[in-house]
Amino acid sequence: MLLHVANVLTAEQVTQCRGWLASADWRDGRATAGYQSALAKNNRQLAEDDPIARQLGGVILDALSRNPTFFAGALPRRIFPPLFNRYEGGESFDTHVDNAIRYDRAANPPQPLRTDLAATLFLSAPEDYDGGELVIEDTFGAHAVKLPAGDLALYPGSSLHKVQAVTRGVRVAAFFWIQSLVRSDSQRRLLFDLDVSIQELTQRVPDAPELVRLTGVYHNLLREWSDV
């Protein structure tokens, strides 16, 4: 499931993030890539232990904790601390697949996280740069994603994906991975559709007797499918 999560960050938070990142210590992004990804990767990135990355990552995690669309789509068990990348002057990241397991080295000892889902949070306005689309492949083809600043793309970590070359301006984004309570993408999609339908029905007919049964179905499916 490819999900657009709007308004994760406010305009003020995006401006704050961009201000901090303007003076950050950007390094060769290949330093954090696996062997195959390093062959395709040409961008810059903040180190995982960079103080600015840690501070802004906290802002993002706090915002995600209050976003019902993200929670419904991801059903997060653990979230990898957000990382930050920058593309300009023709930089790109060719087609690749993310590692199945990432280690959070901020934890002591480092903790493994299964990358069920990947997320890109756009921090640059789409009109500020040319190119830079996040292209995600699934069974229905390739989808080019270029979202407003503050919006997030959530997609299966197993997807082949790439970032098109940025030919004008600068593209800055945060990216991270999620280990979900539900490993299966198809099961998460069913739970998401059911959750959203319950929320919409609650808004329209808050006293509908069917809501109790539908909510029970949701939680019983989550109980059946959750990986805890």
Side-chain angles (χ1 to χ4, degrees):
M1 176 175 64
L2 171 59
L3 181 63
H4 174 187
V5 184
N7 302 314
V8 171
L9 296 182
T10 65
E12 292 76 15
Q13 288 174 317
V14 169
T15 300
Q16 178 190 36
C17 289
R18 291 297 304 272
W20 279 94
L21 293 171
S23 58
D25 181 17
W26 295 101
R27 303 179 180 182
D28 189 335
R30 288 172 291 189
T32 58
Y35 174 75
Q36 291 294 334
S37 292
L39 300 177
K41 193 173 187 179
N42 176 26
N43 68 359
R44 280 165 291 165
Q45 190 170 308
L46 296 190
E48 291 185 23
D49 60 354
D50 187 289
I52 292 177
R54 290 298 182 188
Q55 179 172 352
L56 297 184
V59 172
I60 292 170
L61 293 176
D62 180 65
L64 290 173
S65 72
R66 293 179 279 103
N67 190 294
T69 302
F70 172 79
F71 187 87
L75 293 172
R77 181 177 183 180
R78 293 182 58 214
I79 302 176
F80 194 87
L83 302 174
F84 297 83
N85 57 23
R86 177 185 177 103
Y87 293 82
E88 63 182 313
E91 291 174 328
S92 64
F93 196 168
D94 208 354
T95 303
H96 63 285
V97 64
D98 294 332
N99 291 345
I101 304 294
R102 302 284 303 196
Y103 281 85
D104 179 4
R105 306 198 184 280
N108 187 19
Q111 295 295 309
L113 177 145
R114 188 182 65 238
T115 57
D116 297 323
L117 293 152
T120 296
L121 176 61
F122 289 78
L123 297 173
S124 298
E127 63 269 19
D128 290 344
Y129 61 99
D130 292 336
E133 293 86 358
L134 172 64
V135 181
I136 303 163
E137 297 183 23
D138 63 16
T139 54
F140 299 102
H143 308 273
V145 180
K146 190 172 182 178
L147 300 181
D151 287 12
L152 179 142
L154 183 69
Y155 58 97
S158 57
S159 303
L160 288 172
H161 57 285
K162 64 182 178 180
V163 177
Q164 301 278 42
V166 172
T167 58
R168 178 188 65 86
V170 179
R171 176 195 190 270
V172 179
F175 64 101
F176 50 94
W177 299 271
I178 301 100
Q179 180 171 331
S180 179
L181 292 167
V182 176
R183 183 186 300 221
S184 165
D185 181 60
S186 60
Q187 291 172 347
R188 284 195 308 272
R189 178 57 189 259
L190 289 171
L191 287 167
F192 176 77
D193 288 343
L194 181 55
D195 191 2
V196 170
S197 297
I198 291 170
Q199 292 179 43
E200 292 175 349
L201 181 59
T202 300
Q203 291 294 320
R204 292 202 305 271
V205 193
D207 297 326
E210 295 83 3
L211 281 171
V212 175
R213 290 197 299 273
L214 288 173
T215 302
V217 170
Y218 174 86
H219 284 286
N220 286 330
L221 288 175
L222 182 58
R223 185 177 292 110
E224 180 74 19
W225 292 339
S226 61
D227 178 22
V228 295

